[in-house]
Amino acid sequence: MRGATHAKWAACAVAVALAATACGGDNDGGGGGGAGIVSSSWGDPQNPIEPANTNEVQGGKVLDMLFRGLKRYDPKTGEARNMLAEKIETTDSQNFTITLKDGWKFSNDEPVTAQSFVDAWNYGADVRNKQNNAPFFADIVGYADVHPESGEPKSKTMSGLVVKDARTFTVALKDTFSTWPETLGYQAFSPLPKAFFTDHTGWLNKPVGNGPYLVDSYTKGTGMKLRKWDGYAGEDKAQNGGVDLKVYTDNNTAYTDLISGNLDLVDDVPAQQLKNVKNDLGDRYINQPALIIQTLTFPLYDAQWGKPGLEKVRRGISRAINRDEITKQIFRETRTPAKDWTSPALGEKGGFSGTACGDACVYDPAEAKKLIQEGGGLPGGKVTLTSNVDTGSHRDWMDAVCNSINNALGEGPVCTVNPVGTFADFRNQQSSFKLTGPFRSGWQADYPLIQNFLEPLYSTGASSNYGKFSNKEFDALVDEANRESDAAKATAKFQDAEKILAEQMPSIPLWYQNGSAGYSERVSDVSLNQFSVPVYDQIKVG
């Protein structure tokens, strides 16, 4: 999903805009019976908060509190467990019958039915609705009719979705896809109430879902107040009265607010504070492996970076980056040098490989210079790295990467940094293909499968393929892997596809990222799931 990052803003004590959000000591019970409100750092989402349009972390945090889908990934193990699905049945891994549990409803009291899912998925797939996550529905029969590559759609609905009764619907896929049910915990597959369609603008201003929280208020640029929904049907009921998400444009300020008692939770400890965090927080500091990788993606849509032979230059740049030194000096045990394009949190059985990137991810200044020269040199004699710099210590590591490249090549400051002030601005440039040099492309998995680290980012035309990499052999291997009914064989084929990434270097793996967070003495039972997102509903106040 989505480059992992968090925008922060000015200190709670002095920011007048905080009139819309309470500070850390707020004990307003809201709809939660006085259980206490958790205050947490947040960043403005790039897009309106709707399941099929949100493909980045900040909006995803909200969707995780507002919605429950057919499956949910266990916060501790990552296992895809049935949530609204009573059963998902198939005899051929291509045609599925989905039966819903009884008793679920949206927070406006509308029942959650099979139609709620089918309508939501058809809306998400329809090209006219311009939903970022539309490609996640591309496996369903009839997708091309609602989402043609060009021209007007032939239909408003996908023929592969059929409602049988209030609790049952069937799904026909274009090909066999043995792990398709495991993807259904991703938020793009959430159900939607009728109000989403009848008053879309009103719904976006105050989203209505079926999860443990409901939206009390939302002020873009300031924050969002969520409150416990007492009518929630799931077993994972909120253990607090609500969550106040507060926008920060500087995560150092968020950390200062945490230490001073004006904030309960920071889920992105800034690199500058890593040397202090254990002394500051003790066992209230969390640092654990997560399904996150940071990469630099090349804009292959740019003629200079995409021309044949430039793979040597891209490989040379990778070899000029001293990952070991950067992760030790800047990130202090919260990052590990990358050796493939996935995450160690998958495990070897899940597809992680410590050798997939090979020598291309090994620092070697002499080889770096040789490869870049053999490839025709840096385009225009320089390379510019771009990222948002409001969070994630991105400016620090980009400066370090450029220093490493400049030192390795010995040609002066040929590598420079293009800092973008906010995550939303960066994402807008990235998604509109306006960047002309390598850019940060951190990836937080949508679900714990190797497929999710490869297909959405590198398949031709995929939803998060912002470098516009296209390789027919890679696409074919991914398709074969998806059709494979044996999980081990499927993983092996995905790893074969990954070998093509090692040859072509459409992106440079930098490091695997741990989930890190710090919390106040006022709260307890704080944890991060495998995606590094706080399990907000389990946090207790007081």
Side-chain angles (χ1 to χ4, degrees):
M1 181 164 98
R2 306 116 48 186
T5 185
H6 307 261
K8 322 286 189 195
W9 77 324
C12 179
V14 298
V16 294
L18 269 179
T21 56
C23 288
D26 181 5
N27 281 308
D28 173 22
I37 307 301
V38 179
S39 59
S40 180
S41 59
W42 192 45
D44 259 333
Q46 178 195 16
N47 299 299
I49 295 171
E50 48 189 342
N53 204 29
T54 296
N55 65 348
E56 44 75 34
V57 175
Q58 303 305 329
K61 292 177 186 176
V62 176
L63 291 179
D64 193 51
M65 288 189 272
L66 291 183
F67 283 95
R68 291 294 182 264
L70 294 170
K71 285 183 175 284
R72 180 167 175 75
Y73 302 114
D74 185 280
K76 292 182 179 180
T77 67
E79 179 187 355
R81 295 182 175 179
N82 284 353
M83 180 55 77
L84 268 72
E86 183 174 282
K87 53 187 176 179
I88 300 175
E89 300 172 298
T90 184
T91 57
D92 58 6
S93 294
Q94 185 173 356
N95 296 281
F96 298 83
T97 299
I98 299 172
T99 305
L100 304 181
K101 294 176 182 176
D102 197 13
W104 281 82
K105 61 181 180 178
F106 295 100
S107 60
N108 63 357
D109 284 334
E110 178 188 327
V112 180
T113 66
Q115 197 71 52
S116 307
F117 282 95
V118 170
D119 287 347
W121 295 7
N122 279 322
Y123 180 90
D126 194 323
V127 67
R128 291 166 293 195
N129 298 324
K130 299 178 180 179
Q131 300 289 283
N132 283 317
N133 288 327
F136 281 91
F137 304 102
D139 299 297
I140 299 172
V141 171
Y143 177 80
D145 293 334
V146 301
H147 202 109
E149 292 186 9
S150 61
E152 288 297 308
K154 298 178 182 178
S155 174
K156 292 183 178 180
T157 60
M158 292 180 283
S159 57
L161 297 178
V162 179
V163 174
K164 294 298 185 180
D165 57 48
R167 290 176 51 206
T168 311
F169 66 105
T170 59
V171 184
L173 304 184
K174 291 182 292 186
D175 291 299
T176 55
F177 188 173
S178 59
T179 57
W180 181 75
E182 308 305 299
T183 72
L184 298 178
Y186 182 41
Q187 293 149 345
F189 296 103
S190 298
L192 287 169
K194 294 176 182 176
F196 177 89
F197 306 99
T198 58
D199 182 12
H200 192 222
T201 300
W203 190 94
L204 291 178
N205 289 331
K206 198 170 184 178
V208 173
N210 65 323
Y213 293 94
L214 46 81
V215 174
D216 183 60
S217 64
Y218 175 35
T219 304
K220 188 169 180 60
T222 299
M224 177 181 287
K225 287 186 174 184
L226 298 107
R227 294 296 178 261
K228 177 181 179 180
W229 177 37
D230 290 326
Y232 176 62
E235 295 180 358
D236 54 336
K237 297 181 185 296
Q239 300 300 303
N240 50 68
V243 179
D244 284 352
L245 297 173
K246 302 179 181 184
V247 174
Y248 285 81
T249 55
D250 182 354
N251 60 349
N252 284 288
T253 306
Y255 186 83
T256 300
D257 272 358
L258 172 66
I259 298 303
S260 62
N262 290 321
L263 193 68
D264 291 322
L265 175 62
V266 169
D267 63 352
D268 182 14
V269 176
Q272 296 93 322
Q273 303 297 339
L274 291 174
K275 62 181 180 295
N276 306 317
V277 66
K278 290 183 180 179
N279 287 332
D280 289 343
L281 299 176
D283 59 5
R284 290 181 286 112
Y285 168 55
I286 300 172
N287 177 29
Q288 66 184 48
L291 291 162
I292 302 176
I293 185 173
Q294 287 286 346
T295 59
L296 280 174
T297 291
F298 291 94
L300 302 184
Y301 51 82
D302 184 283
Q304 293 192 98
W305 286 105
K307 64 183 180 182
L310 257 288
E311 61 270 13
K312 279 193 173 183
V313 173
R314 299 192 292 267
R315 177 182 291 268
I317 293 172
S318 179
R319 300 217 66 173
I321 300 172
N322 192 336
R323 295 164 179 79
D324 288 323
E325 184 176 279
I326 293 170
T327 53
K328 287 176 183 176
Q329 291 190 358
I330 294 179
F331 294 116
R332 293 175 179 258
E333 301 178 357
T334 64
R335 307 291 190 276
T336 306
K339 298 179 180 179
D340 78 339
W341 281 262
T342 70
S343 165
L346 283 177
E348 291 186 5
K349 186 177 179 181
F352 166 69
S353 168
T355 60
C357 190
D359 290 342
C361 285
V362 177
Y363 177 59
D364 188 329
E367 187 65 17
K369 291 179 69 172
K370 178 183 175 184
L371 285 166
I372 291 173
Q373 289 170 356
E374 289 177 353
L378 296 174
K382 62 180 182 179
V383 57
T384 301
L385 311 183
T386 298
S387 172
N388 61 298
V389 293
D390 47 357
T391 66
S393 306
H394 299 315
R395 182 60 193 258
D396 295 337
W397 69 253
M398 281 198 301
D399 283 340
V401 167
C402 268
N403 287 338
S404 184
I405 293 172
N406 290 332
N407 290 337
L409 301 186
E411 299 175 2
V414 295
C415 181
T416 56
V417 172
N418 171 35
V420 178
T422 68
F423 176 59
D425 287 346
F426 167 65
R427 283 281 293 164
N428 287 334
Q429 292 183 46
Q430 181 191 54
S431 57
S432 58
F433 309 103
K434 293 180 178 178
L435 299 171
T436 57
F439 52 89
R440 183 182 74 84
S441 46
W443 183 254
Q444 176 208 53
D446 302 304
Y447 39 84
L449 297 174
I450 184 176
Q451 179 258 3
N452 190 241
F453 281 92
L454 302 181
E455 184 172 358
L457 285 83
Y458 304 108
S459 288
T460 302
S463 58
S464 295
N465 187 350
Y466 296 116
K468 289 198 173 182
F469 174 68
S470 181
N471 182 284
K472 290 182 178 179
E473 186 180 357
F474 178 89
D475 293 343
L477 285 167
V478 166
D479 287 343
E480 288 177 23
N482 281 335
R483 291 195 296 269
E484 180 59 63
S485 58
D486 182 275
K489 292 180 180 178
T491 297
K493 286 184 177 178
F494 279 122
Q495 290 178 320
D496 287 341
E498 194 176 10
K499 292 176 183 176
I500 295 172
L501 301 184
E503 295 170 1
Q504 297 295 315
M505 295 299 288
S507 71
I508 295 174
L510 293 174
W511 38 77
Y512 311 117
Q513 181 173 324
N514 280 10
S516 68
Y519 56 96
S520 72
E521 294 178 343
R522 184 174 168 268
V523 295
S524 61
D525 294 294
V526 180
S527 63
L528 303 178
N529 63 19
Q530 282 201 326
F531 309 100
S532 86
V533 173
V535 187
Y536 290 106
D537 54 78
Q538 296 305 302
I539 299 175
K540 296 176 182 176
V541 179

